[in-house]
């Protein structure tokens, strides 16, 4: 439900519009063939190493898409899953996908089928490898831990929405000696993953993962558009900072009070 | 005409009981099956447009509902009334998916039990749990004597206790994770170790005692351990958290836009669409 207090502020519409414009503009310009640079993300660069290790050891990989449902976070996890399966399919390595949400499970199954087919090995798809375990947080976590130990997983990937179970999963991954890569937009869980995983993807790198792995122009364009959006926000922050600092230190500077009032009208504090 | 339409919807939304309720459930299932059967017959080349069209319309509705300023007296705009219907549709689709999820579990564990494969007793425990809590749940709702207590034993006695046990394991895992994180292997790890030590000391009385000789006011008070700990949490830590939150928000917006406008490429359903 929209809230009048929040959306009576025109700045919200303007900034939202600007962000959408940057993202769409960069997507379409990338589609026209402009080459775009993306910096190296160690956690994603090591994906081939992780797949290779599982292949060498002859053990399966595990991809846990978290306890979230069908949301942007969940869909992004499935996009990453698709790329992981494509890479694993090249070497005939199994990828086990335990899910906690029935909607996500059905889509994950289709994504896995599609990824194997895209690599030309549809026969590698094993229906039982994409599993629905439980929608209960700790029942799901216990199920994933069981799979980690029983299957002696060589590589564990955690991408999606995670809560308190993050440490249970990653510490058990450590126990079985799995190489672990994690990525989540949940800032509260990032420290746990940092402490117990080999590589952790932080913040918006999570949303950059599919672009980084596929090098698809549409996704790369979107990534550059996001950076322009962030630059806009930084510019607003710096402008506000200058306004506030000048007002606090030089209150008699002509126009500074009205500039500060104007800024606070659109970007109120607290 | 409009009045008749309104009457139809209010008749449809009325609560049902007994045989009427069963008839409505059966009707909804048949209708759902018919819609699913129709969707599977849609030729491959039209599926892209169907999926993209439904995604776009649903996204457009939700974003307009969110962005159109509501009436201050009701806190609703003209689209808000449709939200419960949309959420019911999502729930119905979710219920069908839940059936598929349960079928996946039954299929997988059924195979293990039938072949008496490795750990078959765990799979048997799954069937016993699933069937017993389902039957007791139905009997409890029908108010059969004694079943509410039995259901409670299964739910509170078993399930909640097992969940609490799993949750409490985190305490042990934190120790091993902290040990690994605090091993000083690089300059960054050393910095994190120092910051974590200060923050931890700042939160316990013994930390305050260490620097209690520093005056509580004036320039030097900034060097008291609780002040340094508070500064670490509210200045460097908070600014980094906010920077990450900005990045995540913009990333989510971009991913949402790509999915809404069906611009997502190379990730999923390329072959099917």
């Amino acid at each position: 439900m929209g809230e009048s207090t929040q959306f009576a502020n025109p700045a919200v519409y303007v900034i939202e519009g600007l962000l959408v414009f940057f993202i769409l503009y960069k997507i379409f310009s990338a589609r026209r063939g402009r080459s775009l640079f993306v910096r190296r993300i160690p956690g994603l660069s090591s994906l081939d190493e992780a797949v290779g290790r599982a292949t060498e050891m002859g053990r399966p990989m595990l991809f846990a898409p978290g306890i979230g449902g069908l949301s942007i976070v969940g869909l992004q996890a499935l996009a990453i899953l698709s790329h992981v399966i494509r890479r694993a399919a090249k070497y005939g390595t199994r990828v086990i996908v335990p899910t906690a949400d029935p909607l996500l499970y059905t889509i994950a199954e289709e994504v896995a089928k599609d990824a194997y087919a895209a690599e030309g090995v549809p026969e590698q798809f094993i229906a039982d490898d994409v599993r629905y375990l439980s929608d209960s947080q700790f029942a799901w976590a216990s199920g994933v831990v069981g799979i980690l130990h029983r299957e002696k997983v060589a590589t564990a990937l955690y991408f999606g929405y995670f809560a308190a179970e993050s440490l249970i999963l990653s510490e058990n991954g450590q126990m079985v000696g799995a190489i672990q890569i994690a990525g989540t937009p949940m800032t509260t869980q990032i420290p746990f993953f940092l402490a117990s995983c080999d590589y952790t993807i932080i913040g918006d790198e999570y949303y950059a993962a599919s672009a980084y792995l596929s090098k698809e122009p549409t996704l790369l364009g979107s990534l550059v558009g996001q950076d322009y959006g962030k630059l806009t926000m930084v510019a607003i922050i710096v402008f506000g900072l200058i306004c506030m600092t000048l007002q606090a230190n030089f209150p008699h500077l002509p126009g500074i009070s009205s500039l500060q009032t104007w800024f606070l009208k659109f970007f109120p504090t607290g | 005409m409009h009045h008749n339409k309104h009457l139809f919807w209010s008749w449809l939304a009325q609560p049902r009981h007994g045989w009427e309720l069963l008839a409505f459930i059966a009707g909804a299932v048949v209708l759902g099956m018919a819609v699913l059967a129709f969707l599977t017959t849609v030729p491959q080349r039209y599926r892209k447009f169907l999926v993209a069209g439904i995604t776009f319309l649903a996204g457009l509705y939700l974003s307009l509902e969110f962005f159109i300023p509501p009436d201050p007296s009701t806190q609703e705009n003209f689209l808000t009334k449709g939200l419960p219907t949309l959420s019911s549709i999502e729930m119905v689709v979710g219920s069908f998916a839940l059936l598929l999820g349960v079928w996946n579990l039954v299929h997988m564990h059924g195979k293990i039990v039938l072949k008496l494969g490795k750990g078959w007793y765990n799979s048997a425990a799954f069937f016993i749990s699933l069937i017993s809590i389902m039957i007791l749940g139905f009997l409890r709702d029908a108010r059969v004597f004694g079943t509410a207590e039995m259901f409670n034993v299964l739910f509170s006695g078993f399930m909640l206790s097992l969940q609490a046990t799993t949750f409490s394991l985190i305490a042990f895992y934190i120790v091993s994770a902290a040990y690994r994180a605090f091993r000083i292997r690089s300059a960054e790890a050393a910095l994190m170790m120092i910051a974590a030590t200060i923050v931890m000391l700042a939160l316990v009385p013994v930390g305050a005692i260490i620097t209690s000789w520093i005056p509580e006011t004036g320039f030097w008070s900034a060097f008291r351990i609780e002040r340094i700990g508070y500064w670490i949490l509210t200045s460097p830590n908070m600014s980094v958290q906010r920077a990450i939150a900005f990045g995540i928000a913009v990333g989510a917006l971009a991913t949402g836009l790509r999915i809404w406008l069906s611009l997502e490429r190379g990730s999923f359903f390329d072959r099917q669409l």
Side-chain angles (χ1 to χ4, degrees):
Chain A
M1 195 189 293
E3 287 175 23
S4 59
T5 45
Q6 187 180 355
F7 291 105
N9 187 347
V12 173
Y13 295 95
V14 173
I15 293 175
E16 197 81 35
L18 268 177
L19 294 179
V20 169
F21 168 76
F22 286 137
I23 293 164
L24 290 181
Y25 174 73
K26 282 291 161 189
I27 284 176
F28 290 113
S29 66
R31 277 182 166 190
R32 284 198 297 269
R34 275 192 67 183
S35 64
L36 300 164
F37 168 76
V38 182
R39 70 171 169 85
R40 187 175 167 272
I41 302 174
L44 297 173
S45 298
S46 58
L47 194 64
D48 284 328
E49 178 200 333
V51 174
R53 187 170 182 270
T55 309
E56 276 173 17
M57 295 175 86
R59 291 189 197 166
M61 295 170 66
L62 178 129
F63 185 99
I67 54 166
L70 190 62
S71 60
I72 293 300
V73 178
L75 285 170
Q76 179 62 17
L78 294 187
I80 300 167
L81 168 70
S82 171
H83 298 295
V84 169
I85 290 181
R86 282 184 191 188
R87 283 173 194 224
K90 283 180 188 156
Y91 306 101
T93 306
R94 271 173 72 204
V95 182
I96 302 170
V97 189
T99 59
D101 180 78
L103 273 174
L104 211 64
Y105 155 70
T106 49
I107 301 175
E109 194 175 32
E110 289 303 312
V111 165
K113 265 185 212 169
D114 197 55
Y116 282 115
E119 285 303 314
V121 282
E123 70 283 356
Q124 273 189 35
F125 171 73
I126 303 169
D128 284 350
D129 279 351
V130 183
R131 303 172 190 176
Y132 171 70
L133 296 182
S134 169
D135 62 354
S136 162
Q137 180 188 11
F138 292 111
W140 178 76
S142 306
V144 177
V145 167
I147 294 170
L148 280 168
H149 285 275
R150 278 194 305 276
E151 302 274 359
K152 294 186 174 56
V153 165
T155 300
L157 308 168
Y158 311 107
F159 285 92
Y161 176 92
F162 289 89
E165 74 288 347
S166 62
L167 198 60
I168 297 175
L169 305 181
S170 48
E171 278 300 294
N172 277 281
Q174 279 280 346
M175 281 183 208
V176 296
I179 183 168
Q180 301 193 100
I181 306 174
T184 179
M186 303 306 296
T187 46
T188 48
Q189 301 309 313
I190 289 172
F192 297 121
F193 279 137
L194 275 171
S196 50
C197 289
D198 298 276
Y199 299 96
T200 306
I201 286 150
I202 297 172
D204 57 336
E205 287 177 354
Y206 176 74
Y207 291 107
S210 51
Y212 189 86
L213 293 171
S214 70
K215 304 279 184 256
E216 182 68 36
T218 303
L219 305 184
L220 287 176
S222 155
L223 206 59
V224 177
Q226 287 174 49
D227 282 347
Y228 278 86
K230 280 186 276 182
L231 276 176
T232 309
M233 289 201 203
V234 169
I236 293 168
I237 291 169
V238 171
F239 181 71
L241 199 72
I242 293 170
C243 275
M244 297 299 161
T245 311
L246 287 178
Q247 162 67 17
N249 294 292
F250 309 100
H252 302 299
L253 210 68
I256 192 65
S257 287
S258 50
L259 191 65
Q260 189 211 29
T261 313
W262 177 82
F263 185 81
L264 285 176
K265 187 180 154 195
F266 294 112
F267 302 100
T269 53
Chain B
M1 181 67 190
H2 178 76
H3 184 64
N4 286 343
K5 204 171 118 185
H6 183 71
L7 275 178
F8 172 74
W9 287 113
S10 51
W11 171 80
L12 200 66
Q14 272 171 19
R16 313 279 162 182
H17 304 282
W19 287 107
E20 212 181 350
L21 175 68
L22 289 176
F24 262 77
I25 292 172
V29 170
V30 169
L31 189 67
M33 293 292 191
V35 172
L36 282 178
F38 166 73
L39 288 175
T40 50
T41 58
V42 173
Q44 205 87 326
R45 60 181 182 281
Y46 296 125
R47 281 190 191 178
K48 181 178 182 172
F49 301 108
L50 189 72
V51 173
I54 292 173
T55 311
F56 178 76
L57 288 176
L60 185 70
Y61 175 84
L62 286 170
S63 41
L64 284 179
E65 195 284 326
F66 189 77
F67 282 113
I68 292 174
D71 181 346
S73 59
T74 57
Q75 285 295 309
E76 288 184 354
N77 58 36
F78 72 101
L79 291 170
T80 309
K81 281 195 169 49
L83 275 185
T85 311
L86 209 64
S87 123
S88 302
I89 292 171
E90 194 196 348
M91 220 184 292
V92 170
V93 175
S95 308
F96 276 103
L98 183 64
L99 281 179
L100 290 172
V102 172
W103 169 246
N104 174 262
L105 281 168
V106 169
H107 180 252
M108 214 176 76
H109 290 285
K111 267 196 310 194
I112 297 171
V113 171
L114 287 175
K115 288 179 185 169
L116 288 179
K118 199 178 170 190
W120 65 271
Y121 38 85
N122 294 322
S123 300
F126 158 73
F127 280 109
I128 294 167
S129 318
L130 179 80
I131 294 166
S132 54
I133 205 157
M134 205 163 67
I135 291 172
L136 281 173
F138 284 129
L139 292 177
R140 183 195 62 162
D141 288 350
R143 297 175 194 279
V144 175
F145 178 73
T147 50
E149 288 75 16
M150 284 164 76
F151 182 86
N152 204 30
V153 167
L154 281 186
F155 191 79
S156 306
F158 278 81
M159 211 178 96
L160 292 186
S161 307
L162 286 169
Q163 284 184 356
T165 308
T166 314
F167 182 57
S168 59
L169 286 173
I170 295 172
F172 301 100
Y173 292 137
I174 279 180
V175 178
S176 55
Y179 167 72
R180 210 174 302 112
F182 290 161
R183 271 182 307 177
I184 300 171
R185 287 171 296 184
S186 60
E188 290 94 335
L191 201 65
M192 193 171 105
M193 173 70 185
I194 294 165
T197 310
I198 292 171
V199 170
M200 281 191 287
L201 282 173
L203 294 172
V204 289
V206 72
I209 292 170
I210 294 171
T211 52
S212 58
W213 52 274
I214 299 175
E216 281 187 31
T217 51
F219 173 76
W220 293 107
S221 66
F223 293 95
R224 286 174 71 98
I225 208 152
E226 66 272 22
R227 296 277 176 92
I228 302 174
Y230 180 76
W231 178 80
I232 289 173
L233 282 178
T234 55
S235 294
N237 173 62
M238 187 57 78
S239 53
V240 168
Q241 294 250 17
R242 283 181 183 159
I244 291 175
F246 272 130
I248 288 171
V250 179
L253 174 74
T255 310
L257 259 180
R258 290 200 307 263
I259 291 170
W260 178 36
L261 300 174
S262 296
L263 294 169
E264 187 78 20
R265 291 284 180 274
S267 293
F268 35 60
F269 308 137
D270 276 0
R271 185 179 58 89
Q272 292 170 355
L273 298 181

